[in-house]
Amino acid sequence: MADVEKKDTVIIGAGPGGYVAAIRASELGQKVTLVEKSDTLGGVCLNVGCVPSKALIQAGHRLEQAKDGSTYGISTESAVIDFKKTQDWKQTKVVDRMTSGVKMLMKKHHVDVVNGEAVFLSDTQLRVMPTGEKQFMSTDTGQTFEFNNIIIASGSHPIEIPGFKFDGRVIDSTGGLNLPEIPKEFVVIGGGYVGTELAGAYASLGAHVTIIEGTKSILPNFEKDMVSVVLKKLKKKGVDVITSAMAKGSTQDDKSVSVTYAVDGKESTIKADYCMVTVGRRPNTDDLGLEYTKVKLNDHGQIEVDNQGRTASEHIWAVGDVVPGAALAHKAFAEAKTAAGAISGKKTANDWLSVPAVCFSDPEIATVGYSEAAAKDKGIKVKTAKFPFAGNARAVSLDAPDGFVRFIYTDDDNKNIVGAEAVGPEASTMAGELSIIVNDGLNVEDVALTIHPHPTLNEPIQETADIAMGFPTHI
């Protein structure tokens, strides 16, 4: 076996949590070694997740606009799409550009990148084996590191359900992002964030999409009146949404796949070109050798951590999809900075309440802080105020008047805003301001007195505060 190499800070995984932790740790004076088993940096998000999916969503919007500009008095010839070129643009101009940017950042911050799979030997030692066929051919293969601190940011993988093995025309979200052609019929099992986003994208690109969801509604983590706005648009695109449905099984040949599902015990079958399963993700903790450490896992396979990301082992930290909470890239960013800071002795801590949740559906959804029900569950007496995009000049001029902004604020003299929600055009761009409002503990008067430029899509934030103050302007 090779000699043991001493390392300062080691990071497992080069996704959003890992590469950001590497940058911050380096900035704070740590000597960083980043271990990544993939040939490319950036993790699921940059390579096969949130970034390429937004590219396809954008392509879908552009195609819809090209096909029908009659609202604006614009007539065009029938628009067509060369999906091969779309996929090439998504890969070379978006994904490759972003991942090469991460590679450049690692060089800039003098991060030593090691390609291989990491397995713990103890609370202070790690074995890194090369990926591929030669991985376990010799005991002399690989490297052994002894580290002062390590951050686990190994991410997650799609959950496979019985009867739907990922193979051929049954695909996960990665397969959904890399289809060779636009399917005529597309079945999506799971109406959460990923399923709803990609269902909308492929519907915009011309596919007939069917969503099969096990709960009573798609996007079950959002308020019903927000989801109803998204459902209205999905149905306008021709998407069929089947809820309270149990996916039973699939059969396929080289040209199609048949999906069987049951509602109230009654089975039905849909034939499609592809079936994409997006029912959740599982943390990548099974094969890390954590049983040789003091690290503790919960029932979901997630690593238990404190508010700085420290595990039950004093030398081991964890961030991102491997710890409890929503699997969001920006949550991983924040946790990575916190853990790297804590290792350097900084008094950092995570505040998960102010992490915004965003779904790039059509229209988009953004929430931060408490919902009305969650606040009441915490014993907080609250009121709500809501302003519709139909009263916003910019939204109307974009022919996107559906949706609203809502504040959840304390029912007292202070009227502190403890939650904020938006569904409508470019709600994702509002999420940052909404997060500041909740994170900084602003009250409705603070927001009402913040002058927003006119006409912009952010004005409903101020308008909602005016309503909460009892002085509505444009409603």
Side-chain angles (χ1 to χ4, degrees):
M1 182 176 289
D3 293 338
V4 176
E5 299 179 53
K6 293 187 179 297
K7 297 290 184 180
D8 183 13
T9 299
V10 176
I11 298 169
I12 301 175
Y19 81 76
V20 171
I23 292 170
R24 181 54 56 90
S26 176
E27 289 171 336
L28 293 173
Q30 299 166 42
K31 293 183 178 180
V32 182
T33 300
L34 178 63
V35 181
E36 169 57 46
K37 66 180 182 180
S38 173
D39 292 334
T40 58
L41 305 182
V44 168
C45 181
L46 284 189
N47 287 278
V48 291
C50 41
V51 171
S53 67
K54 304 312 166 288
L56 283 190
I57 289 169
Q58 176 64 13
H61 289 333
R62 287 291 186 95
L63 182 60
E64 282 184 322
Q65 293 165 0
K67 282 184 174 180
D68 184 10
S70 59
T71 298
Y72 308 101
I74 300 172
S75 298
T76 59
E77 297 293 332
S78 180
V80 295
I81 182 171
D82 183 336
F83 196 57
K84 184 177 180 180
K85 287 185 178 180
T86 303
Q87 289 284 33
D88 181 68
W89 162 76
K90 181 202 73 178
Q91 186 62 43
T92 60
K93 302 298 184 182
V94 180
V95 174
D96 292 349
R97 177 176 177 177
M98 300 306 295
T99 55
S100 64
V102 174
K103 186 176 180 180
M104 178 273 295
L105 288 170
M106 295 304 98
K107 290 182 179 179
K108 174 184 176 182
H109 292 279
H110 308 291
V111 174
D112 182 21
V113 178
V114 177
N115 184 246
E117 296 202 33
V119 180
F120 282 91
L121 301 178
S122 71
D123 287 291
T124 57
Q125 285 196 340
L126 185 78
R127 185 77 173 153
V128 178
M129 302 297 291
T131 57
E133 296 179 357
K134 297 182 179 180
Q135 184 172 6
F136 300 109
M137 288 183 66
S138 171
T139 56
D140 293 327
T141 304
Q143 301 166 272
T144 300
F145 298 151
E146 184 174 324
F147 51 83
N148 293 328
N149 289 282
I150 191 166
I151 300 174
I152 303 171
S154 50
S156 61
H157 61 275
I159 293 173
E160 192 174 77
I161 59 176
F164 293 87
K165 179 178 174 58
F166 296 138
D167 183 50
R169 292 182 176 271
V170 177
I171 56 179
D172 59 10
S173 56
T174 299
L177 287 167
N178 293 293
L179 290 177
E181 70 276 333
I182 299 169
K184 293 181 179 178
E185 294 288 337
F186 191 42
V187 172
V188 177
I189 297 177
Y193 287 76
V194 177
T196 299
E197 288 182 5
L198 290 183
Y202 273 106
S204 297
L205 290 168
H208 176 255
V209 182
T210 301
I211 300 175
I212 299 174
E213 166 59 35
T215 67
K216 293 180 180 180
S217 173
I218 63 168
L219 301 174
N221 294 327
F222 293 107
E223 297 293 293
K224 291 181 180 179
D225 57 349
M226 303 178 79
V227 177
S228 67
V229 180
V230 176
L231 277 170
K232 177 182 175 182
K233 193 64 176 286
L234 285 173
K235 290 178 180 178
K236 187 177 180 181
K237 294 174 186 281
V239 176
D240 293 326
V241 179
I242 304 170
T243 56
S244 300
M246 177 66 68
K248 304 291 285 186
S250 63
T251 58
Q252 61 176 297
D253 54 32
D254 60 347
K255 293 183 179 180
S256 65
V257 57
S258 294
V259 176
T260 300
Y261 66 93
V263 177
D264 295 329
K266 182 180 179 181
E267 291 191 356
S268 300
T269 299
I270 302 175
K271 189 175 182 180
D273 299 295
Y274 294 94
C275 171
M276 182 179 70
V277 181
T278 57
V279 296
R281 301 182 67 84
R282 180 172 175 80
N284 293 329
T285 55
D286 292 341
D287 301 319
L288 289 176
L290 294 175
E291 62 271 24
Y292 301 113
T293 72
K294 296 176 184 176
V295 172
K296 297 183 184 303
L297 302 179
N298 64 19
D299 293 339
H300 301 287
Q302 297 163 323
I303 298 172
E304 295 181 357
V305 294
D306 64 12
N307 65 356
Q308 289 188 308
R310 191 195 303 267
T311 72
S313 176
E314 63 176 321
H315 299 281
I316 303 176
W317 310 70
V319 302
D321 289 6
V322 295
V323 303
L328 300 169
H330 48 276
K331 171 176 170 286
F333 290 158
E335 291 171 342
K337 295 172 184 176
T338 296
I343 290 171
S344 288
K346 304 292 184 182
K347 293 182 179 180
T348 56
N350 290 306
D351 176 16
W352 290 286
L353 178 63
S354 63
V355 176
V358 177
C359 181
F360 290 83
S361 49
D362 186 10
E364 297 173 350
I365 296 178
T367 67
V368 61
Y370 292 119
S371 65
E372 181 180 7
K376 290 179 178 178
D377 287 343
K378 290 287 185 179
I380 306 171
K381 292 183 65 177
V382 294
K383 289 184 176 181
T384 65
K386 182 168 71 172
F387 182 84
F389 276 102
N392 174 255
R394 180 61 174 157
V396 172
S397 69
L398 292 172
D399 192 32
D402 293 334
F404 55 84
V405 173
R406 176 162 54 211
F407 285 156
I408 298 91
Y409 59 96
T410 56
D411 185 10
D412 55 24
D413 292 340
N414 293 323
K415 295 186 177 181
N416 291 321
I417 300 168
V418 297
E421 301 167 338
V423 54
E426 297 186 27
S428 62
T429 61
M430 293 184 176
E433 182 177 351
L434 298 180
S435 185
I436 291 172
I437 289 168
V438 174
N439 189 53
D440 289 357
L442 302 186
N443 61 30
V444 296
E445 185 176 13
D446 294 326
V447 180
L449 293 175
T450 302
I451 299 173
H452 288 67
H454 176 79
T456 65
L457 293 172
N458 273 24
E459 284 181 280
I461 294 174
Q462 182 181 8
E463 299 270 13
T464 305
D466 284 342
I467 293 171
M469 289 285 293
F471 300 107
T473 304
H474 291 106
I475 187 175

